[in-house]
Amino acid sequence: MDRFLNEQRSEGALDSDGSFTIDSALARRKQSFFQLAQPGAYILKFVQAAVSAGASTLAVTVKRDQLTLSISNDQPEFTHIDQLANALFQLPSERGPLRHLAVGLNSACHETSLEVLWQTPDGTLAVGQDNVRVLEASETTPRLVVKKPRRLFQWFRGNFFVNEIAHLSRACQYAPLDITLDGRPLERPLLSRTTGSVIDKLGLTHPHHLLELVLPAKGGLRAHYPVGLYERLESDLQLWLGPRPVGKASSQTPIPLLVDGWDGTSRALSAGAVVCVPACGRGSSEILPVLDGVCLSPLRRNDFGFSGLRILLDATDLNTDLSEFALIQDDELSFKLDWVRERLTEATERTNRTVLRQAFLQADAEEDKVEALLDRMLPSLEYRPPQIGPTVEDVVASIFVDSQVLLDPDISGKQLANSRKIHARYLPEAERILALYDDTVFGSGKEGLVLTEHRVCWNAAFTGGNYLLWSELPHCKAAKLLPTGVEIGDTLVSVFSLHKEVASLFFDLLQAISQLDLASLHTHPPDEWKVLSRGLATLGRRNRVSYHPYHSPLWLAKLPSLYKGHWVEGERPLVAFDDTLMGGATDGFVATKNRLLWRNAFSEPESLLWHEMTTDKIAVSSSGVEVEGREIKIHLKEMRQPVEDFLKRMTYL
């Protein structure tokens, strides 16, 4: 036994050695299927390759069944064909031009493509789903060629590359290189725009947002404005909180409105983040990560401490998930957001009312208009403790999960465009749509519900669009679930003809949101809020009733002439009722903080101060409502009693 044990303890002899192997072709197919799940997203990898390699221009031309992407650059990563061919089967671990190219080529060949070619002066790669071939050189500059098969039904629909063009237009707005699409520069909207009415009231000439801070950092975002924008800026409105530019740079057109961190020595900014503060910013802050010139999936944070900001964030040192277009919520991201919060706090400490007021006045803006604007803007620059508890977005997502209601980002572009057009008067462009219920047969989005962080909008056939702010729910009569829909603000929302069960879910949503502690979206002086709150409690959200600040701009412009001799300059129209048949708003009434003005058809305008009215001399008549022996004509019978209730409440101001 001892001899046997000693033999077993002896060292073993080597028989053979080897290694585990992976089918590289199979691995490549799996990478292609799972990395870029969105159709057409492969084109963004070539933009990232061009940016990371330092390219200056990128040109895209699209024919019906062929897309060509040309990069003007002679970097070795673009021309080493053998190295790129190997990378297709074994992706480099380091982020850079070679990895971007490999991921893009692998994905492109799996999108029902007939042929995918990467052409360079040193050779051409023909990339297929199951094979990769090296061909002779055919081009003087690196370029991608993607051809798709001509299928009968797709052929009649037109362009085969709709997804690619959409990705290019949406995600490459801040890429630091010149991009052309069929010979035309890619349209690049700025980080954020204010509404036209705000710009008009300030008397400024540029279409820019009102306040922006650049948080400096080494490296980072190299082009905070689209290439070529400097030549198009005409505004003199500016304020420098960093070193003021000197020398030649000072003769260049400055960047409005507020720049912190640019030393004036280069026209390309170096920033870790660009923070835009829109007028009336409310709700969660939106973070747009940018990696090698491409915007990744946006992040929305309610725990940031600042409300309603839009932040362009350099994501060079952050980690992405397998899709390569979304950030991982890890310690690196938390550290970067903490850095932004700290730098933002430092910058906003110097951005007080006096400093901003001086900047606007230097641009010859009218003083009284500037003061009103600052009232709306400065609250967004105040740090607040992070919000604790569920948000409107959380409640919407939890109630409508697995329902017929579409949640962002599953809402189609057509539905979004149609909904915003219908509700344009009271739905700001910058306000994100969280969910949409489409009550149309063909999915146009023209009828149904639109839910945002701040309001619900609805539109039914033949009734017109309407809305209710979530913060107004406590001031309206309690919502009711009826067989024909849901009643809120004395208005029946009957847009559930296709899916009756959505009405019950919507009612549950109203109940849940009414329990949230929501701040008012708009700040009103107490005397104005009394008028608005009493209007909401009595008149509700009927289609012919409108409330400040969402009156029709055309109606506001002609208001002084409609009530000539009675209108007092400087008073704000708070509640309005349109009694015209076609919605011209020439007949009806207007309530301000001091008076009631009305105009009957074919009659001169009239007015009364609130303190001139008494409750016992307000009553419904056969054709309207009598007030102090005078009559306000109201053709809609169902409106007469609510108007009487509103006027009686106003006598107690």
Side-chain angles (χ1 to χ4, degrees):
M1 180 62 69
D2 291 338
R3 186 175 63 184
F4 173 76
L5 293 175
N6 291 332
E7 290 176 353
Q8 297 304 311
R9 293 192 185 101
S10 62
E11 295 183 2
L14 177 64
D15 180 76
S16 62
D17 61 359
S19 61
F20 290 104
T21 60
I22 299 176
D23 187 334
S24 58
L26 179 61
R28 177 171 163 262
R29 284 197 296 271
K30 288 185 176 181
Q31 290 171 357
S32 303
F33 281 123
F34 293 107
Q35 273 196 299
L36 304 184
Q38 296 181 338
Y42 67 84
I43 195 171
L44 299 180
K45 301 307 297 181
F46 293 91
V47 176
Q48 289 182 319
V51 171
S52 59
S56 57
T57 62
L58 184 147
V60 179
T61 57
V62 179
K63 299 179 180 179
R64 185 183 289 266
D65 57 350
Q66 177 175 313
L67 180 146
T68 304
L69 182 150
S70 302
I71 304 175
S72 60
N73 194 274
D74 57 357
Q75 291 291 326
E77 291 91 342
F78 291 169
T79 57
H80 287 177
I81 295 300
D82 293 338
Q83 187 179 9
L84 178 56
N86 291 331
L88 294 175
F89 294 94
Q90 186 172 359
L91 290 179
S93 57
E94 294 292 329
R95 186 185 293 156
L98 188 61
R99 178 183 173 88
H100 290 318
L101 283 176
V103 173
L105 287 170
N106 278 339
S107 179
C109 70
H110 278 87
E111 295 212 1
T112 64
S113 299
L114 181 66
E115 187 175 45
V116 176
L117 302 175
W118 177 250
Q119 300 174 336
T120 74
D122 294 347
T124 296
L125 276 181
V127 184
Q129 295 186 5
D130 300 315
N131 59 77
V132 176
R133 294 174 293 134
V134 179
L135 308 177
E136 294 183 358
S138 59
E139 291 296 325
T140 57
T141 57
R143 76 171 193 170
L144 167 75
V145 178
V146 179
K147 298 181 180 180
K148 292 190 177 182
R150 298 185 177 186
R151 295 177 177 174
L152 180 61
F153 293 104
Q154 191 175 19
W155 179 263
F156 285 109
R157 287 166 53 192
N159 196 324
F160 291 2
F161 297 94
V162 174
N163 293 322
E164 286 85 341
I165 295 173
H167 283 297
L168 196 67
S169 302
R170 182 171 57 246
C172 302
Q173 299 169 357
Y174 308 103
L177 75 169
D178 290 325
I179 301 178
T180 59
L181 179 60
D182 290 332
R184 298 185 302 274
L186 184 70
E187 183 179 353
R188 301 183 189 229
L190 302 176
L191 181 60
S192 177
R193 294 176 184 267
T194 64
T195 59
S197 60
V198 174
I199 294 298
D200 294 340
K201 290 178 181 178
L202 276 175
L204 305 179
T205 58
H206 62 89
H208 205 275
H209 41 270
L210 296 179
L211 179 61
E212 183 170 281
L213 300 103
V214 178
L215 306 183
K218 293 181 179 180
L221 299 168
R222 293 302 304 162
H224 124 236
Y225 284 100
V227 175
L229 180 65
Y230 295 94
E231 290 79 8
R232 300 198 300 273
L233 292 176
E234 298 178 354
S235 171
D236 293 329
L237 188 56
Q238 58 180 300
L239 179 64
W240 302 93
L241 294 186
R244 192 174 182 85
V246 295
K248 288 186 177 180
S250 62
S251 65
Q252 302 291 338
T253 304
I255 304 172
L257 291 177
L258 180 64
V259 176
D260 185 10
W262 188 45
D263 60 7
T265 61
S266 170
R267 295 181 66 183
L269 296 172
S270 179
V274 179
V275 181
C276 173
V277 186
C280 304
R282 295 290 189 274
S284 60
S285 292
E286 182 181 50
I287 300 168
L288 302 173
V290 178
L291 178 60
D292 290 335
V294 170
C295 289
L296 310 183
S297 298
L299 306 172
R300 293 175 178 88
R301 302 294 291 260
N302 294 290
D303 58 349
F304 194 68
F306 294 89
S307 61
L309 303 181
R310 299 193 71 215
I311 302 171
L312 197 67
L313 180 70
D314 170 41
T316 303
D317 54 350
L318 301 179
N319 300 314
T320 58
D321 61 11
L322 185 61
S323 74
E324 305 225 349
F325 292 127
L327 293 180
I328 296 176
Q329 304 278 348
D330 55 10
D331 292 340
E332 284 76 9
L333 176 59
S334 298
F335 179 82
K336 189 65 173 280
L337 293 180
D338 288 341
W339 177 86
V340 173
R341 185 187 293 109
E342 292 171 3
R343 300 289 81 75
L344 185 58
T345 303
E346 294 173 2
T348 55
E349 286 177 352
R350 295 174 288 166
T351 317
N352 57 35
R353 188 182 193 92
T354 303
V355 170
L356 287 179
R357 181 177 178 275
Q358 181 183 5
F360 283 114
L361 293 179
Q362 287 176 354
D364 297 325
E366 296 181 25
E367 185 171 355
D368 57 338
K369 296 179 179 179
V370 171
E371 293 299 325
L373 173 65
L374 294 178
D375 287 338
R376 300 162 63 187
M377 176 184 295
L378 288 174
S380 295
L381 291 173
E382 297 175 0
Y383 178 80
R384 297 176 179 83
Q387 183 174 347
I388 301 175
T391 64
V392 171
E393 185 173 1
D394 297 332
V395 174
V396 169
S398 63
I399 288 181
F400 290 123
V401 65
D402 296 328
S403 71
Q404 298 297 328
V405 177
L406 300 174
L407 301 175
D408 181 48
D410 296 327
I411 308 170
S412 73
K414 179 180 73 172
Q415 292 170 318
L416 286 174
N418 288 337
S419 298
R420 287 197 177 278
K421 183 177 180 180
I422 290 170
H423 303 293
R425 179 169 59 86
Y426 42 78
L427 178 59
E429 288 187 12
E431 191 165 310
R432 184 171 68 99
I433 293 178
L434 303 176
L436 182 144
Y437 167 65
D438 191 341
D439 201 46
T440 64
V441 176
F442 297 105
S444 67
K446 294 182 178 180
E447 298 172 20
L449 296 174
V450 175
L451 306 170
T452 76
E453 292 178 301
H454 305 304
R455 74 197 75 215
V456 54
C457 308
W458 62 89
N459 185 51
F462 310 113
T463 62
N466 212 330
Y467 76 101
L468 179 76
L469 298 175
W470 298 127
S471 57
E472 293 174 348
L473 271 175
H475 304 284
C476 297
K477 295 179 181 178
K480 299 178 182 178
L481 179 60
L482 305 174
T484 51
V486 178
E487 186 179 271
I488 53 174
D490 277 336
T491 300
L492 180 64
V493 181
S494 55
V495 293
F496 309 102
S497 58
L498 296 181
H499 304 282
K500 303 292 186 183
E501 65 277 9
V502 175
S504 178
L505 294 176
F506 179 55
F507 177 75
D508 293 342
L509 176 73
L510 296 175
Q511 299 294 98
I513 290 181
S514 64
Q515 302 301 315
L516 300 180
D517 183 18
L518 299 177
S520 178
L521 180 60
H522 304 293
T523 302
H524 303 288
D527 52 355
E528 292 188 354
W529 176 239
K530 287 181 181 179
V531 181
L532 290 166
S533 61
R534 293 176 186 185
L536 286 168
T538 53
L539 304 175
R541 280 296 181 186
R542 290 176 170 84
N543 289 323
R544 293 175 176 265
V545 180
S546 62
Y547 298 88
H548 172 73
Y550 299 113
H551 301 299
S552 166
L554 295 176
W555 176 75
L556 288 173
K558 60 183 180 182
L559 193 58
S561 60
L562 286 175
Y563 293 96
K564 188 175 182 179
H566 296 265
W567 183 254
V568 177
E569 186 66 29
E571 283 196 26
R572 202 192 315 267
L574 301 174
V575 182
F577 170 67
D578 181 2
D579 196 47
T580 60
L581 181 62
M582 303 302 293
T586 54
D587 305 330
F589 68 77
V590 182
T592 72
K593 65 179 181 180
N594 296 321
R595 72 195 74 239
L596 175 73
L597 304 96
W598 71 93
R599 182 187 175 102
N600 298 327
F602 309 109
S603 301
E604 293 297 316
E606 300 182 67
S607 67
L608 276 172
L609 296 172
W610 296 120
H611 66 77
E612 295 176 337
M613 300 183 190
T614 54
T615 304
D616 57 351
K617 291 186 179 181
I618 300 174
V620 172
S621 66
S622 59
S623 57
V625 176
E626 287 190 356
V627 183
E628 298 295 325
R630 295 186 251 176
E631 186 177 47
I632 303 174
K633 298 285 187 181
I634 299 176
H635 294 92
L636 294 176
K637 293 182 179 180
E638 62 271 18
M639 278 297 301
R640 294 169 186 170
Q641 186 60 55
V643 170
E644 179 192 346
D645 295 340
F646 171 62
L647 297 181
K648 285 184 175 180
R649 289 201 184 191
M650 293 306 300
T651 60
Y652 295 102
L653 270 180

